[in-house]
Amino acid sequence: MFKNTLEQIVTYEAGKPIELVMREYGIKQEDVIKLGSNENPYGASPLVIESLQNNAYKASLYPDDSMYELKDALALHFNVTPKQIIIGAGSDQIIEFCMQALNHHNAQVLMAKTTFAMYEVYAKLAGVEISKTQSDGHILEEFLELYQKVKSQKNISAIFLCVPNNPLGECLDSNAIEKLIKAVDKETLVIVDGAYQEFAAYKDKRKAINPQYFIEQFDNVIYLGTFSKAYGLGGMRVGYGVASERIISMLYKVRPPFNVTTLSLQSAFVALRDQAFMRQCVEKNAIEMARYEAFAHKMGFTFIPSYGNFITFSHKEIESTHLCEWLLQKGVIVRNLRSYGLNAFRITIGKTEQNTRVFELIEQYLQTHR
């Protein structure tokens, strides 16, 4: 009845919702701190909230399937044309489009050992074999070596680059990405996933990616972005891809009609216009990130310097599953990375008071469980 490949796919585990923690542990909503899904703790721009209130009557209407307004605004933002943009229900839908559209005959898809789990899911659903680097994160030399090794036996349909990388937080420099693109065949699609790029570009200009430059220089690159993170629209599910007209036209052939809702498109359009709010969120994230790094040093945690809105902690004396469960019982949701084969946990950078509470609880845990 079902594809055999489904037996090989591990169901993606989304971050636990607040409602589930309230039910399972009898905790009041105001006492739950959700730092497990990399959402923006400051929410959406006030202009977006106002727009939703003013346009709620449109909920019964199908969206403008040309998505002209948002595509035009993104084109202006990135200095490209609307024909070089595709909109998806989250950027992961565009990942799915890519995997459906590519030629997979005798093919492989390359990715880092530990990266966004949906790359592997969509590749397997498309019937494509996967090759991963030996190291968890993105190391340019390993990608180049793996590419040459696989190329001698298989066609390479696509390479996934998650910059910054979720769930680890490390990030390739922009010039390293360019070096990799120049080294691969023009028929290999390089998918540059910039879901957390706003944070990375603020922290280190060497990490900043200019989609216009890459798609003008290379006809085999697609840049992915999202409104779910820095723009605070995780609940609206809007992502986008920027690529050559040739690539976008092919992806449109697998895009279903009305794939993004009317209110989601309107919210993304308004959020993009409020760059000041987005920058404020990114700046606050950087300040609180520094607090997490200082806390890690103080308490003996190992961490990966992060260029996103989250940080990954590990500790040689702590079992991550036990700590994450203990925190849940206290009303704090973080992301256990055991499903990635790592004894580590990822924490979304929250508001100041939320982070202070997390520090207090983790310190309490260390005092009582070591």
Side-chain angles (χ1 to χ4, degrees):
M1 181 182 295
F2 299 110
K3 294 180 178 179
N4 292 333
T5 51
L6 291 177
E7 298 291 340
Q8 307 166 20
I9 295 174
V10 178
T11 302
Y12 180 77
E13 294 182 19
K16 289 185 181 294
I18 291 174
E19 294 77 9
L20 178 63
V21 177
M22 291 169 58
R23 290 195 303 269
E24 289 191 357
Y25 300 102
I27 300 173
K28 296 179 181 178
Q29 182 172 349
E30 58 268 26
D31 294 329
V32 178
I33 299 175
K34 187 184 181 188
L35 300 177
S37 299
N38 297 344
E39 295 151 324
N40 187 334
Y42 308 102
S45 160
L47 297 180
V48 171
I49 304 304
E50 181 182 359
S51 174
L52 283 169
Q53 293 169 340
N54 293 338
N55 291 279
Y57 71 94
K58 295 181 181 179
S60 62
L61 304 175
Y62 280 114
D64 170 11
D65 199 45
S66 74
M67 306 185 191
Y68 169 79
E69 190 175 54
L70 180 56
K71 287 172 63 177
D72 201 52
L74 283 167
L76 183 64
H77 182 71
F78 289 116
N79 197 25
V80 296
T81 71
K83 290 184 178 181
Q84 294 172 314
I85 294 172
I86 187 169
I87 311 295
S91 56
D92 57 324
Q93 187 179 45
I94 301 170
I95 296 168
E96 182 182 15
F97 294 165
C98 291
M99 292 298 96
Q100 290 176 355
L102 289 174
N103 179 5
H104 298 311
H105 178 67
N106 191 36
Q108 291 268 321
V109 170
L110 309 187
M111 64 187 70
K113 179 182 176 183
T114 302
T115 191
F116 184 44
M118 292 308 296
Y119 300 158
E120 183 169 350
V121 171
Y122 287 131
K124 285 182 175 179
L125 283 174
V128 189
E129 294 183 16
I130 298 163
S131 291
K132 298 182 180 181
T133 60
Q134 292 186 343
S135 299
D136 287 302
H138 290 65
I139 298 176
L140 175 63
E141 291 74 21
E142 286 194 20
F143 269 92
L144 293 174
E145 289 174 8
L146 181 62
Y147 177 80
Q148 292 300 328
K149 177 182 177 182
V150 173
K151 182 184 174 183
S152 64
Q153 301 174 349
K154 299 274 187 177
N155 296 319
I156 301 176
S157 293
I159 299 174
F160 282 105
L161 300 176
C162 193
V163 284
N165 185 23
N166 176 30
L168 300 182
E170 31 73 38
C171 187
L172 284 172
D173 288 353
S174 178
N175 61 9
I177 296 172
E178 183 171 4
K179 183 176 180 180
L180 188 150
I181 297 170
K182 288 179 177 178
V184 305
D185 288 340
K186 293 182 179 180
E187 290 305 310
T188 297
L189 181 66
V190 181
I191 303 169
V192 181
D193 187 349
Y196 301 90
Q197 254 296 303
E198 290 83 3
F199 302 99
Y202 176 82
K203 185 171 184 177
D204 187 342
K205 299 303 180 186
R206 294 173 298 178
K207 313 295 182 184
I209 295 170
N210 180 350
Q212 178 202 22
Y213 172 78
F214 277 102
I215 69 171
E216 285 183 352
Q217 297 297 314
F218 309 104
D219 194 41
N220 60 328
V221 175
I222 182 168
Y223 173 84
L224 307 182
T226 182
F227 288 93
S228 296
K229 309 304 179 185
Y231 289 97
L233 297 184
M236 304 307 288
R237 307 299 297 126
V238 188
Y240 55 88
V242 185
S244 67
E245 290 187 26
R246 179 179 74 94
I247 291 175
I248 297 301
S249 66
M250 292 297 104
L251 297 185
Y252 256 91
K253 295 179 184 296
V254 297
R255 182 191 72 92
F258 309 121
N259 61 311
V260 181
T261 71
T262 300
L263 293 178
S264 294
L265 290 170
Q266 176 70 21
S267 297
F269 173 73
V270 174
L272 186 65
R273 295 175 66 183
D274 194 355
Q275 288 293 304
F277 177 82
M278 184 275 288
R279 284 194 296 269
Q280 289 172 9
C281 294
V282 171
E283 290 168 2
K284 291 175 183 178
N285 176 81
I287 293 170
E288 293 300 313
M289 178 74 77
R291 294 182 67 208
Y292 270 94
E293 293 176 350
F295 178 77
H297 288 302
K298 174 186 173 183
M299 305 307 299
F301 282 96
T302 299
F303 69 92
I304 300 169
S306 175
Y307 292 87
N309 67 340
F310 57 89
I311 191 166
T312 295
F313 276 10
S314 62
H315 198 294
K316 60 183 179 181
E317 298 180 24
I318 290 178
E319 212 295 314
S320 64
T321 300
H322 188 270
L323 171 59
C324 291
E325 179 61 31
W326 187 86
L327 287 173
L328 267 183
Q329 295 172 16
K330 305 295 183 181
V332 174
I333 306 170
V334 298
R335 185 63 182 269
N336 184 18
L337 299 185
R338 271 297 184 189
S339 60
Y340 288 87
L342 301 174
N343 182 30
F345 58 102
R346 188 193 69 193
I347 310 173
T348 304
I349 308 301
K351 296 179 180 179
T352 300
E353 61 273 18
Q354 294 175 321
N355 300 329
T356 297
R357 177 62 176 157
V358 171
F359 298 155
E360 292 171 348
L361 286 173
I362 293 178
E363 191 164 357
Q364 179 184 337
Y365 179 89
L366 290 173
Q367 291 171 350
T368 56
H369 291 82
R370 283 200 293 180

